[in-house]
Amino acid sequence: LDLDAFYREVERVLVPGGRVVFVDHVLAPPRTLKRAVQRVATPFSKRICHGCHWDRDTERALDSAGFEGVDVRRLRVRSMPFGPVPMLLFDGRAPGE
């Protein structure tokens, strides 16, 4: 998945003042076992889970693409077998809004 192309397309199809909501599991905190597991698992998850990147820093990518977060929440969601998964809930506007 080309994130830059994806974000440009989201921006293109939004009406002026349009709202964008993203929900994604994201990169675990630095120097944690969970982040190490994400780094090891991502090459496999990209192939068998429809391009899923367990180690993507979605918040940084959204910020770099110019999206403005109105309500941004970081939380942990229970998951098996790896325990709580870091998640990002991003409610905001596309660049230039």
Side-chain angles (χ1 to χ4, degrees), residues 9-75:
E9 183 65 5
V10 169
E11 182 179 1
R12 185 187 73 78
V13 300
L14 278 178
V15 298
R19 175 181 179 199
V20 62
V21 176
F22 293 98
V23 178
D24 196 10
H25 53 80
V26 294
L27 190 60
R31 297 174 302 281
T32 61
L33 177 60
K34 191 165 303 268
R35 184 179 262 197
V37 168
Q38 288 175 321
R39 294 281 193 216
V40 170
T42 291
F44 302 101
S45 67
K46 287 188 324 189
R47 279 186 242 136
I48 62 175
C49 297
H50 309 286
C52 181
H53 289 72
W54 286 14
D55 63 350
R56 184 172 284 150
D57 190 346
T58 304
E59 187 172 3
R60 182 179 295 187
L62 286 165
D63 184 56
S64 294
F67 287 86
E68 177 190 350
V70 174
D71 185 7
V72 179
R73 300 177 192 200
R74 292 157 212 85
L75 49 116

